[in-house]
Amino acid sequence: MILFGNKPFRLKEDFEIYSDLKEKTLRQDIKSTIIDAANEVLNTDLIPLTATQYMNFAETGSRAAYDVNFHGRRNKLMALVMACFYEKKEEYLRKMLDYVWAICEESTWVIPAHNVSLNDEYHGKILTDTFETHVEVDLFSAATGAMLSMIY
């Protein structure tokens, strides 16, 4: 697969997360769970995160509409990443790239319940403003950044 100009992008056969991984035995049930989860992701569409889902928290107090899909994206991505390490299949890699791309396109990684723009100080905005000088960081946005840097 060619990405980023003319540089080939592929999994190296000898790539491992830890240098001593070959000495450790992954329990078969854990590996099976990872592969099963990744295969399920392969057979599903990427669920969009919408502005109306984000606004729902400010309007109703319910976090579920947005949070389920927000966390689900990240969980599915990690299933694909782990499956990619163990199975080294291009289909996992391609779907993984779709999830990384989608997460990078999110307007914010701050979940609605942590959106301090809802406070009067920031004029009660129920959506984050990408062009605001105020930048919010919460635990989940930091975790997303950490996850993406680990994947990179």
Side-chain angles (χ1 to χ4, degrees):
M1 177 183 342
I2 301 294
L3 299 174
F4 313 118
N6 61 359
K7 296 171 102 178
F9 185 79
R10 61 183 161 265
L11 294 171
K12 294 182 178 180
E13 288 302 315
D14 60 346
F15 178 78
E16 303 293 352
I17 301 175
Y18 304 107
S19 60
D20 66 342
L21 190 62
K22 289 182 180 179
E23 297 173 17
K24 299 192 183 291
T25 303
L26 183 66
R27 285 182 19 209
Q28 191 58 38
D29 60 327
I30 294 173
K31 183 176 178 181
S32 296
T33 301
I34 290 168
I35 301 306
D36 290 347
N39 287 334
E40 187 176 320
V41 176
L42 288 177
N43 296 316
T44 59
D45 291 328
L46 224 162
I47 297 172
L49 289 171
T50 66
T52 54
Q53 288 172 346
Y54 198 93
M55 291 168 37
N56 194 48
F57 173 74
E59 296 168 343
T60 69
S62 174
R63 298 173 64 150
Y66 192 85
D67 286 13
V68 167
N69 292 335
F70 177 92
H71 295 298
R73 276 186 173 191
R74 284 138 180 86
N75 291 338
K76 289 173 183 176
L77 174 57
M78 288 310 300
L80 292 165
V81 168
M82 295 304 295
C84 212
F85 287 136
Y86 294 114
E87 295 290 315
K88 296 178 177 44
K89 291 183 179 176
E90 187 170 334
E91 60 188 336
Y92 295 138
L93 177 63
R94 287 182 169 275
K95 193 73 163 193
M96 185 179 81
L97 289 171
D98 287 341
Y99 272 86
V100 168
W101 187 278
I103 289 170
C104 288
E105 285 184 331
E106 292 172 5
S107 296
T108 182
W109 294 339
V110 177
I111 62 171
H114 297 177
N115 178 3
V116 297
S117 294
L118 291 170
N119 300 335
D120 289 333
E121 181 181 351
Y122 299 106
H123 313 293
K125 294 179 182 177
I126 61 174
L127 288 174
T128 60
D129 185 350
T130 306
F131 300 104
E132 257 180 23
T133 56
H134 172 76
V135 177
E136 299 174 33
V137 176
D138 70 345
L139 179 62
F140 297 118
S141 61
T144 298
M147 177 187 65
L148 291 175
S149 63
M150 188 257 333
I151 291 168
Y152 177 76

